[in-house]
Amino acid sequence: MTLSNKRKRDKPVKGKMHWKVGDMRLDLFQKHHRDQHPAAYEEFTKLPPGADLDEFFSKLLNHVVPVNFSIDSSGSYTISISAKIVEVIVMDLLCGGNTAESTRARVKNIFTPVADNGSEGFTPSYTVTIGDPAAFKTSLIGVNAGLSFRAAADVMSQISAQAGRHDDSAINSIMITDNVRISVAVSMEVIRSLLADPSVWAFSLAFNSSTHYGHSYFDVRIRLQVDGELRNLHLVALPINGGHKADDMVELLTKMLDALCPQWRQKLIGISSDGEPTMTGCNSG
């Protein structure tokens, strides 16, 4: 009989988490604040005993941009969107590898690149114009209810016919598809602005992959604090064109986050998933 110094693996207890004293290390929290938020942490450590902490933290949050984006039904709107969101997320990741070139060309025509004026600090971007806000919002009603683009167009066409409208302005599936892409780009721009704000110092992600009508998708939700409230937002459902291996998922997610929030490696504090082995890896989390 030989003795071994190798420690036996503990048997996992499903559905339970056992915390021990010392698991939540105060020194790691302090190190994070010193490294990532040196100015605010130094100011915090100099607060006198009994200081109003609510007032201190409210100063750090008073310049957060709002998460809501709304448009009136009158006039027209021209919206500026980051070039990386348009080129990487909308034109590349969301179009997928099997998208026809004619479709890619149509997507490209929706957005207008902003010319470089040679000014210092110029940031590449695109603009998109919503000429008829009322039709834009109406075209998204069916999609928001869960209908496919074609089904939503059919419902809106029938409603238009009942209302006595038979002109060329009737909503069709192509118009709905274009408006959904615009809506996604605008929503991504709002989330990009939130993540770029210095007061939004951290966020977490939740993943799930599924197959719908023969197409595989990588679904991502994001959780972050905005203006003192914890927001749980659906970020995107990315089509999976390759395999379902962990490396494929990481490559897809990294490409999206690099375009959406270049500082994501410093701000991402946690991830969660449905427990699928591909999502958790060899260490199960």
Side-chain angles (χ1 to χ4, degrees):
M1 180 178 180
T2 59
L3 298 177
S4 173
N5 292 327
K6 187 175 181 181
R7 180 179 179 272
K8 292 183 179 180
R9 294 184 61 183
D10 295 332
K11 292 183 179 181
V13 181
K14 293 186 177 180
K16 293 183 178 180
M17 294 289 289
H18 296 280
W19 296 98
K20 303 184 295 295
V21 175
D23 282 346
M24 305 296 288
R25 291 176 51 186
L26 179 61
D27 60 313
L28 295 181
F29 284 89
Q30 293 172 335
K31 181 179 184 301
H32 168 82
H33 290 303
R34 283 196 304 269
D35 295 345
Q36 302 298 326
H37 318 282
Y41 184 70
E42 183 180 359
E43 185 179 354
F44 175 78
T45 56
K46 293 180 179 179
L47 290 175
D52 189 344
L53 296 182
D54 289 338
E55 180 182 356
F56 172 78
F57 288 111
S58 66
K59 286 194 307 180
L60 302 179
L61 297 172
N62 61 4
H63 60 290
V64 176
V65 296
V67 71
N68 298 318
F69 177 83
S70 60
I71 58 176
D72 297 327
S73 297
S74 59
S76 63
Y77 289 82
T78 298
I79 305 166
S80 178
I81 301 173
S82 166
K84 288 186 177 180
I85 288 178
V86 174
E87 295 171 357
V88 177
I89 299 179
V90 178
M91 293 185 182
D92 183 9
L93 296 179
L94 291 178
C95 279
N98 300 323
T99 305
E101 286 302 320
S102 58
T103 302
R104 292 181 181 274
R106 180 174 181 83
V107 174
K108 191 173 183 179
N109 288 334
I110 297 174
F111 304 94
T112 304
V114 176
D116 186 351
N117 56 12
S119 62
E120 185 178 354
F122 173 79
T123 302
S125 62
Y126 287 76
T127 60
V128 61
T129 300
I130 302 175
D132 188 346
F136 175 80
K137 293 196 292 185
T138 302
S139 68
L140 298 177
I141 292 176
V143 177
N144 290 336
L147 297 178
S148 67
F149 297 167
R150 187 172 298 176
D154 184 50
V155 169
M156 298 310 299
S157 296
Q158 293 186 41
I159 293 175
S160 296
Q162 289 292 329
R165 290 186 59 185
H166 301 280
D167 54 17
D168 294 335
S169 63
I171 296 172
N172 53 54
S173 60
I174 295 177
M175 180 189 300
I176 289 179
T177 303
D178 290 347
N179 287 344
V180 166
R181 290 190 173 108
I182 294 172
S183 178
V184 169
V186 172
S187 299
M188 285 285 183
E189 179 62 26
V190 172
I191 294 176
R192 185 200 68 79
S193 299
L194 288 174
L195 293 175
D197 194 284
S199 66
V200 180
W201 61 271
F203 67 91
S204 66
L205 298 173
F207 308 138
N208 186 23
S209 62
S210 60
T211 302
H212 184 65
Y213 286 104
H215 297 282
S216 298
Y217 295 92
F218 185 54
D219 195 63
V220 184
R221 298 192 69 88
I222 184 170
R223 300 182 178 103
L224 68 164
Q225 179 181 270
V226 179
D227 202 14
E229 295 184 11
L230 186 63
R231 305 293 182 120
N232 184 358
L233 308 175
H234 180 252
L235 185 58
V236 68
L238 296 171
I240 302 175
N241 300 300
H244 286 244
K245 297 185 298 183
D247 289 345
D248 299 325
M249 304 292 187
V250 171
E251 182 180 357
L252 195 65
L253 182 66
T254 300
K255 195 171 184 179
M256 182 199 68
L257 289 176
D258 284 342
L260 186 66
C261 177
Q263 311 89 6
W264 67 270
R265 290 172 178 82
Q266 288 75 43
K267 293 192 173 187
L268 179 62
I269 60 171
I271 60 173
S272 59
S273 72
D274 57 357
E276 182 71 19
T278 301
M279 296 291 188
T280 58
C282 63
N283 297 319
S284 297

